[in-house]
């Protein structure tokens, strides 16, 4: 009786095992196809390429790196701001807000405070900072907080607005035009600025 019952259950057991193997194979294939997000921070040799979206936070000595130096790097995904060494790549859509002296960057004098422009309408950026696409420089002021650079820029995101002002050294976004010019002392000694609007 027990043997007969076992014989009747074997096909069901085989079907269950095969289904389980199929699900495991599909899950493994899906995991391999999905891009792996590294996240967090890690230490790499100074001659290593820096992944897109990652920044260099500090420098240390390392006997395991041929260069003798290692970088602590971090992923900016999900962050709004961080501090980096002055030679660090600045991710797309991020700006340098200020600079400071540091001893943590392998003999380089400065570190930068940087922030993401995602989900904000305006911010400030040192004059040497990259300016994201679609943003304009509306004014400039003298500063001692930009690692030796003279000017700090006020910048505005043109997404969702129809008009604004722009200093003459600002990039004019695609689809925008200069409507008029006016005199001003707010554009780092240029003496004038533009009224710009969406075409």
């Amino acid at each position: 009786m027990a043997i007969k019952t076992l014989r009747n259950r074997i096909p069901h057991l085989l079907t269950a095992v095969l289904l389980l193997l199929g699900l495991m194979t599909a899950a493994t294939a899906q995991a391999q196809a999905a891009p792996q997000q590294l996240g967090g921070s890690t230490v790499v040799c100074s001659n290593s390429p820096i992944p897109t979206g990652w920044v260099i936070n500090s420098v240390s000595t390392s006997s395991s790196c041929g260069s003798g130096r290692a970088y602590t790097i971090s992923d900016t995904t999900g962050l709004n701001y961080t501090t980096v060494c002055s030679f660090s790549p600045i991710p797309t859509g991020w700006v340098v807000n200020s600079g400071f002296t540091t001893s943590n960057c392998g003999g380089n004098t400065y570190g930068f405070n940087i922030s993401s422009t995602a989900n904000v309408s305006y911010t400030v950026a040192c004059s040497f900072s990259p300016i994201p696409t679609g943003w304009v420089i509306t004014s400039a002021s003298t500063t001692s907080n930009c690692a030796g650079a003279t000017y700090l820029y006020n910048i505005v995101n043109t997404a969702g607005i129809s008009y604004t002002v722009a200093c003459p050294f600002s990039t004019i976004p695609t689809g925008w035009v200069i409507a008029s010019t006016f005199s001003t002392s707010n554009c780092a000694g240029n003496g004038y600025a533009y009224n710009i609007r969406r075409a």
Side-chain angles (χ1 to χ4, degrees), residues 52-53 76 89-95 116-117 130 132-133:
T52 300
T76 58
I90 305 299
T92 301
W94 286 65
V95 294
S116 172
T117 59
T133 301

Side-chain angles (χ1 to χ4, degrees), residues 17-73:
V17 168
L18 290 172
L19 280 171
L20 184 60
L21 285 173
L23 288 171
M24 289 172 63
T25 303
T28 302
Q30 187 176 17
Q32 289 174 344
Q36 299 300 307
Q37 188 65 258
L38 295 175
S41 64
T42 190
V43 177
V44 299
C45 292
S46 62
N47 56 350
S48 171
I50 307 301
T52 300
W54 287 63
V55 292
I56 302 168
N57 303 111
S58 63
V59 179
S60 58
T61 56
S62 172
S63 58
S64 61
C65 290
S67 61
R69 288 187 173 187
Y71 293 158
T72 298
I73 64 172

